[in-house]
Amino acid sequence: MAVFLDCAAAASEVDGRRIVLKFKRCPGTWIYCNYPEHLPAAALGDSGLGNKYLNRVFVEGEAQLFASYLNTTGGDLFFGVLIHNPGNATARVIRQAVGHRHSGKYPDWCDVQGGVWGDFFNSSSEEIFAIHSRESVWIFEGPTPNNKFFNTVLALQTDMLLECLVYIYRNRANIDGTATCFPWTPGSKQYRGVGDSYAIETDLGLHLSHMPCHYYTCRCGNNPDEITPIYDTCADAWRCCACPDKNLGNWGLHYLFQVVVVNDTDAARVVRSYMGSDGGTPDADVVVRFGGIVKWCCLNRKEWWNWLVDYIPAGQSRVYKYQFIHAANSTAPVLHGWQSG
């Protein structure tokens, strides 16, 4: 039986043949919120202060929001998600799961960006909202202390086309519907907007006789159709691999892996799977969900996490289904390795 190992950073040589992955997009609206990464007071949504929203996206059906920010406004605030119904009939919104963490409450940044996914997957906060015609409802609000990082993940489902607005504010009573979008600064490397998928999937077949082997994730040019294009409705511009402002990585996106490992040798073998940095900067901060359990690991340059080990008899195979997530915008492209023995 496969063993899901805890985070333990160790140096390792990167070798073996390289595999190029092919991904299929899973339908669903991705509400991506990472601009401006350092939130100034001018980004506040209160009508007497900044009178700005951070993102504005139309959603219908399944959607997921990912947000990663640093509060530099000079005071404590709240991060909130408002759903507006522009239609003529009452809408139904299901908030399916939510995770929200900020630094200062947890030991370090790794426990914020990694632990928020544990909270999300273990969330029991499902709630149903009825939103009448031309009305709005707050479906989430989370505290964000001054000078602290925070990450938020939220899954929702709607039964009609609705408007999703993302704010930071001192008091949500001061959000009066007159806010405009916080303006884009050309050349910025943080992004916001909407994507057509918050999860991608791939099937992979490996043979022990061909190990070691490895593959990359979250780098333009490595894998066809991996990096999700993001459309910024406020700037009327795309962020993608071929765009002037490239989408630098799929931070917060779900990678759904199904890996079949065949022991095509004449003896029983141990197989190990690794994740880590290829020596680039910044570090590699990764989340894995396997067997219903979520674990995370923050790795320095040239460190790998041996996250899985298994024993496969000769002539037999194993199927490993797991989710992988680049924890936040502070992570580099990740190298995934498989070794025998």
Side-chain angles (χ1 to χ4, degrees):
M1 179 180 292
V3 179
F4 188 12
L5 301 172
D6 293 334
C7 174
S12 178
E13 292 294 326
V14 177
D15 56 10
R17 67 188 182 97
R18 182 188 160 197
I19 299 169
V20 176
L21 303 176
K22 295 182 179 180
F23 289 98
K24 176 184 176 182
R25 297 198 180 282
C26 304
T29 302
W30 195 27
I31 307 164
Y32 189 80
C33 306
N34 181 225
Y35 179 81
E37 184 184 51
H38 293 195
L39 295 166
L44 287 163
D46 305 68
S47 59
L49 299 172
N51 202 28
K52 300 295 182 183
Y53 55 79
L54 300 179
N55 205 349
R56 176 175 176 263
V57 171
F58 282 90
V59 298
E60 184 174 14
E62 300 283 344
Q64 192 167 123
L65 177 145
F66 170 77
S68 182
Y69 293 107
L70 169 63
N71 175 7
T72 59
T73 64
D76 296 346
L77 53 82
F78 294 93
F79 174 81
V81 180
L82 181 71
I83 303 293
H84 174 68
N85 179 7
N88 296 320
T90 298
R92 184 173 180 263
V93 177
I94 304 174
R95 190 188 67 195
Q96 298 166 313
V98 65
H100 176 81
R101 286 196 177 195
H102 60 77
S103 56
K105 183 177 180 181
Y106 300 92
D108 55 34
W109 172 230
C110 187
D111 287 310
V112 173
Q113 62 173 338
V116 72
W117 288 102
D119 297 342
F120 172 80
F121 284 116
N122 296 318
S123 174
S124 58
S125 65
E126 181 170 298
E127 188 171 351
I128 299 175
F129 302 86
I131 308 178
H132 300 298
S133 174
R134 316 300 180 190
E135 293 186 357
S136 302
V137 170
W138 293 94
I139 67 167
F140 175 75
E141 180 179 74
T144 58
N146 185 47
N147 205 32
K148 303 298 182 184
F149 291 97
F150 69 94
N151 272 18
T152 305
V153 189
L154 185 150
L156 65 142
Q157 182 182 55
T158 76
D159 63 352
M160 58 188 293
L161 187 66
L162 301 175
E163 186 180 19
C164 176
L165 296 117
V166 179
Y167 291 93
I168 54 166
Y169 47 85
R170 303 274 189 246
N171 186 340
R172 75 182 190 189
N174 297 329
I175 308 293
D176 62 5
T178 63
T180 57
C181 190
F182 188 82
W184 171 259
T185 300
S188 174
K189 298 302 182 182
Q190 291 83 41
Y191 304 113
R192 56 143 178 248
V194 59
D196 64 359
S197 176
Y198 56 83
I200 56 177
E201 60 184 7
T202 187
D203 295 333
L204 190 62
L206 304 177
H207 291 79
L208 288 181
S209 65
H210 294 167
M211 293 183 181
C213 56
H214 65 268
Y215 43 85
Y216 288 96
T217 56
C218 213
R219 176 183 285 173
C220 283
N222 271 310
N223 305 306
D225 301 321
E226 178 191 355
I227 302 298
T228 296
I230 302 167
Y231 178 66
D232 183 349
T233 57
C234 298
D236 188 21
W238 285 94
R239 319 298 176 196
C240 65
C241 285
C243 298
D245 288 305
K246 290 184 177 181
N247 177 11
L248 300 180
N250 284 342
W251 298 300
L253 197 82
H254 300 254
Y255 285 69
L256 311 180
F257 280 94
Q258 177 169 285
V259 180
V260 179
V261 177
V262 179
N263 183 355
D264 58 340
T265 72
D266 58 2
R269 303 281 182 178
V270 172
V271 63
R272 299 179 184 273
S273 186
Y274 295 81
M275 294 180 185
S277 169
D278 65 349
T281 55
D283 304 330
D285 305 329
V286 299
V287 178
V288 178
R289 185 176 189 237
F290 179 66
I293 299 172
V294 179
K295 297 182 180 182
W296 58 92
C297 198
C298 297
L299 301 156
N300 295 322
R301 298 179 64 182
K302 296 185 179 180
E303 286 184 339
W304 280 24
W305 166 30
N306 175 202
W307 69 274
L308 181 142
V309 62
D310 201 1
Y311 178 86
I312 309 179
Q316 295 190 20
S317 63
R318 296 284 189 268
V319 180
Y320 306 109
K321 293 184 179 181
Y322 62 95
Q323 285 198 40
F324 161 77
I325 297 169
H326 291 270
N329 56 297
S330 57
T331 190
V334 170
L335 193 59
H336 305 245
W338 291 83
Q339 296 181 4
S340 173

